[in-house]
Amino acid sequence: QTLDMQFATSDQFTDLVQVRAGHFNADFAADHDGDVARGASDHDPQVARWFTDVTFARLADLALYYGETGQIHKMKQAQALAARVLRAEMFLEQGKVDAFNSQVEAIHDQLDDWSGSVMDEDAAEAFVSEFDRLLSLL
């Protein structure tokens, strides 16, 4: 019987690589009469590996999530950031390098301006980190 679970949306499930039981919790049973079990629990937790590489679409979704959770203080601002990210992707796909670079610079400037005022500092830092990671993959 498995008591620990992991929940995923249909989109997240496509990124699932592997699920196994982490055998470090319940494997330490009593060795002899009078001994007590030394496991922290009577079951092993699930351990999963996910392939969750950053994409423009996922960054846009992250911006909207930040809007929904209040980490970007107004949903309209979250939508504007998501649109700017998708616009950058469109310019890249069309081979409009100057327009793409302008969007990248605008996104960085926007996040610098928003950090701590329009957007929680930690969220802005995480977004910049993911955005820069995406740029490094291009």
Side-chain angles (χ1 to χ4, degrees), residues 84 122 132 138:
R84 181 164 272 163
D122 290 341
D132 289 345
L138 300 177

Side-chain angles (χ1 to χ4, degrees), residues 56 85-101 103:
F56 287 99
V85 166
L86 295 175
R87 193 174 314 115
E89 178 185 33
M90 179 189 70
F91 289 144
L92 182 64
E93 288 173 350
Q94 293 173 348
K96 298 179 179 178
V97 177
D98 290 339
F100 171 75
N101 289 333
Q103 284 300 309

Side-chain angles (χ1 to χ4, degrees), residues 63-75 78 117-120 123:
L64 297 176
Y65 171 78
Y66 283 166
E68 291 168 358
T69 60
Q71 294 174 80
I72 295 178
H73 303 152
K74 294 184 179 174
M75 191 60 184
S117 59
V118 173
M119 187 175 186
D120 293 347

Side-chain angles (χ1 to χ4, degrees), residues 9-83:
T9 66
S10 297
D11 288 342
Q12 290 171 324
F13 190 72
T14 61
D15 294 332
L16 181 63
V17 174
Q18 182 180 59
V19 177
R20 290 186 173 185
H23 295 293
F24 57 84
N25 210 15
D27 286 349
F28 302 102
D31 289 333
H32 51 78
D33 287 342
D35 195 6
V36 295
R38 293 178 296 279
S41 177
D42 63 349
H43 61 282
D44 289 316
Q46 300 295 307
V47 178
R49 288 189 320 131
W50 302 85
F51 176 78
T52 54
D53 219 357
V54 63
T55 65
F56 287 99
R58 286 182 174 163
L59 278 175
D61 288 344
L62 180 59
L64 297 176
Y65 171 78
Y66 283 166
E68 291 168 358
T69 60
Q71 294 174 80
I72 295 178
H73 303 152
K74 294 184 179 174
M75 191 60 184
K76 190 171 188 173
Q77 293 162 323
Q79 292 167 337
L81 178 58

